[in-house]
Amino acid sequence: MPHSLFVADLHLSPERPQTTRVFKEFARSIASRAEALYILGDLFEYWAGDDDLADPNHATVTSTLAELSQNGTAVFIMHGNRDFLIAEDFARAAHARLIPDPTLIDLYGTPTLLMHGDTLCTGDTAYLSFRAKVRQPTWQTEFLARPLAERKAEIEALRQRSEADKQLKSIVEMDVHPDAVAAALREHAYPRLIHGHTHRPALHRHRVDGRDCERWVLDSWYDHGSYLRCDAAGCEPIQI
């Protein structure tokens, strides 16, 4: 049956080579049978700019996606909170298409809204303020003009600070807010919703304005690989 796959929060990095190996095998033996693979943010642990394509881990991931696309599986990539600097040079090298957050698609007859998920976490006001700043074109242009090594060092410092800040935040603060979910569903005419970011995989059912909607949260790849398989009959989460 024709089907599409959805993943998020792989956080691929040189420090976790086993995860990259699992991703390569997933692309060749599982995703290659799908019509499309949607990567809904945080493919990489971080992305300092498209001038880092020569990094061995990045090159491996890029060639894996290019091979998948050339063999007939369409590859779509959405920015996450860790890899929002991915740009067209990477997309061309990976034979992939960058899609905006959010993106509404017709998934085998079911309107389906795709998001990374971070904008739904409206309780985390400090993060949303930071997100607004770094998504501005002026900020990105100035940041990308700096030497690559300097950018990587700053990103590493930000990652460490972020991990420390998480210890001070509640689970509720870092999870999606019901009002934000309802607003997104309402704005896009009550579709199915698929997103990542929270690392809390589950199927949630929402009643919004008298309409029944389902929300799929994708798993991270920190402990194991996983994906959501969707076809005309519905969606199924699968662990690798």
Side-chain angles (χ1 to χ4, degrees):
M1 182 180 292
H3 62 279
S4 295
L5 307 182
F6 300 83
V7 298
D9 303 294
L10 290 83
H11 295 278
L12 302 179
S13 72
E15 291 73 29
R16 299 170 59 241
Q18 176 61 22
T19 307
T20 300
R21 287 194 289 270
V22 171
F23 177 67
K24 287 180 61 178
E25 182 58 29
F26 160 75
R28 291 172 179 170
S29 64
I30 298 174
S32 59
R33 300 195 294 268
E35 289 190 322
L37 170 65
Y38 291 85
I39 303 170
L40 302 186
D42 289 354
L43 172 61
F44 296 102
E45 179 67 12
Y46 71 87
W47 190 259
D50 281 10
D51 53 343
D52 201 20
L53 283 169
D55 173 271
N57 183 71
H58 296 167
T60 297
V61 176
T62 302
S63 63
T64 297
L65 291 174
E67 178 183 347
L68 178 64
S69 178
Q70 289 168 335
N71 287 337
T73 299
V75 177
F76 301 92
I77 299 176
M78 178 178 288
H79 289 139
N81 56 294
R82 301 290 190 96
D83 56 9
F84 59 88
L85 290 173
I86 286 177
E88 290 299 334
D89 284 352
F90 171 80
R92 281 191 292 270
H95 293 241
R97 177 183 169 189
L98 293 175
I99 57 175
D101 180 5
T103 287
L104 183 66
I105 64 172
D106 182 338
L107 190 59
Y108 308 108
T110 299
T112 301
L113 183 64
L114 310 179
M115 304 179 72
H116 177 56
D118 54 341
T119 57
L120 299 172
C121 302
T122 52
D124 194 349
T125 54
Y127 164 70
L128 290 179
S129 177
F130 171 79
R131 185 188 191 279
K133 180 182 75 171
V134 301
R135 296 303 180 99
Q136 293 177 4
T138 300
W139 184 93
Q140 293 187 9
T141 298
E142 293 176 353
F143 183 76
L144 292 171
R146 294 160 58 183
L148 179 60
E150 184 178 315
R151 279 178 266 147
K152 287 187 169 184
E154 179 166 336
I155 289 172
E156 182 58 35
L158 287 170
R159 287 174 58 208
Q160 293 180 10
R161 191 182 313 156
S162 174
E163 291 302 315
D165 289 345
K166 285 180 183 178
Q167 307 305 314
L168 304 176
K169 296 178 181 178
S170 68
I171 293 177
V172 172
E173 187 178 2
M174 293 189 293
D175 202 359
V176 303
H177 194 287
D179 290 347
V181 172
L185 294 172
R186 184 179 296 115
E187 180 181 354
H188 294 89
Y190 315 100
R192 171 200 285 142
L193 172 59
I194 301 174
H195 70 84
H197 182 66
T198 64
H199 302 184
R200 303 180 70 186
L203 167 61
H204 301 268
R205 300 194 182 277
H206 298 268
R207 184 81 172 171
V208 181
D209 303 335
R211 310 289 188 91
D212 291 318
C213 304
E214 63 181 33
R215 175 170 65 94
W216 290 93
V217 184
L218 302 173
D219 203 355
S220 72
W221 281 47
Y222 279 130
D223 298 320
H224 52 259
S226 66
Y227 59 96
L228 186 68
R229 182 190 188 280
C230 297
D231 57 31
C235 297
E236 176 187 11
I238 301 173
Q239 284 192 8
I240 301 173

